[in-house]
Amino acid sequence: MSRMLRRLPWWLAAAALAIGCLIWIYPFLWMVSASLKTSAEVFTKGLDLLPGGDPAWDNYERAWVSADFGKYLLNTVIVTVCTVVVVVVRCAMAGYAIARHDFRGRRIVMGVLIATLFVPAGYTIIPLVDLAQRLGMLNSLTGMVLAMSGAAHVAAILLYVGYFRGIPKELTESALLDGAGFATVFFRIMLPLAKPVTATVTVLTFLSTWNAFFLPLVFTFSRPDLRTVSVGMLAFVGENTTDWSGMAAAATISLLPVVALFIALQRYFVEGIAGAVKS
């Protein structure tokens, strides 16, 4: 009995955390449940997670085929992967230059970067669209990638700055004495060492690009075939009705790559955040 009383606070804490986790993931569970219900059951069953009859697997077929969600998913994968590659390389090089090179105006550059955090994203949409139109990239995936990756991405740069500052300078100096140039030191030594931060930036950029709505909507306004998954959700919204079960199925499909990526990189994600903050 005394042992059980000693463990009572632990059980209470575990129960509180379990309830909190259930509340936290309940919207996701309800979305998956709604994807297996009929449109009528979405409203009649309320918060109940179990369908009234057999699971309506045809919702996924309707979302994939009828709503052309397979094409939207392919467009999203292309845009997201290209954006992640550009952002990782660009932010890593910027973070390395700021962290390891004492050039004139470095404080000004950092101040300008941090100041961009206070500029709302909606304020930049007009010059972006105008520039893309002048370059002939408005209704193309290439223009969308450049628009997504062309932002400041200050958080990613600061993560690389913090991590590169923690790497001993003797490592870079030894490579330079051996005849290695800037590109060799960066791509073959520094960037592989920053694998945890790269995983963190990859996850953050992947999430922001995958879930982006406003910018892909503007860049594909006259080309519905180039829509991404977030904009493709509009296919389930009609003038008078909304296909909620089909939308839930499409949302479930679109979330699977995000969940898979985070599970695969979660260890590096935590290490990257901890390492950058510690540095």
Side-chain angles (χ1 to χ4, degrees), residues 168-180 185 189:
K169 293 184 178 181
E170 290 78 9
L171 187 63
T172 306
E173 294 172 354
S174 299
L176 293 175
L177 289 175
D178 290 339
V185 172
I189 299 176

Side-chain angles (χ1 to χ4, degrees), residues 104-117:
R104 182 178 300 177
R106 183 172 62 173
R107 292 182 180 272
I108 298 176
V109 172
M110 287 295 296
V112 171
L113 285 175
I114 295 175
T116 59
L117 289 173

Side-chain angles (χ1 to χ4, degrees), residues 28-153:
F28 174 76
L29 296 177
W30 187 89
M31 181 189 67
V32 176
S33 173
S35 69
L36 298 175
K37 298 177 182 177
T38 62
S39 297
E41 287 179 336
V42 172
F43 296 97
T44 58
K45 299 293 289 184
L47 299 178
D48 192 358
L49 295 178
L50 298 177
D54 295 332
W57 296 105
D58 59 308
N59 292 333
Y60 288 90
E61 182 181 0
R62 187 169 67 257
W64 189 263
V65 180
S66 301
D68 211 6
F69 218 72
K71 182 182 294 183
Y72 299 155
L73 189 64
L74 178 60
N75 293 336
T76 309
V77 170
I78 294 173
V79 172
T80 303
V81 171
C82 294
T83 302
V84 167
V85 172
V86 173
V87 169
V88 166
V89 175
R90 184 173 63 84
C91 293
M93 295 184 71
Y96 176 69
I98 294 173
R100 306 305 292 264
H101 294 274
D102 189 12
F103 56 91
R104 182 178 300 177
R106 183 172 62 173
R107 292 182 180 272
I108 298 176
V109 172
M110 287 295 296
V112 171
L113 285 175
I114 295 175
T116 59
L117 289 173
F118 302 96
V119 179
Y123 287 11
T124 61
I125 190 66
I126 295 178
L128 275 176
V129 172
D130 181 67
L131 181 60
Q133 188 173 13
R134 292 175 182 271
L135 295 175
M137 296 182 177
L138 184 57
N139 295 299
S140 66
L141 296 181
T142 303
M144 198 185 310
V145 170
L146 293 178
M148 291 284 192
S149 58
H153 296 283

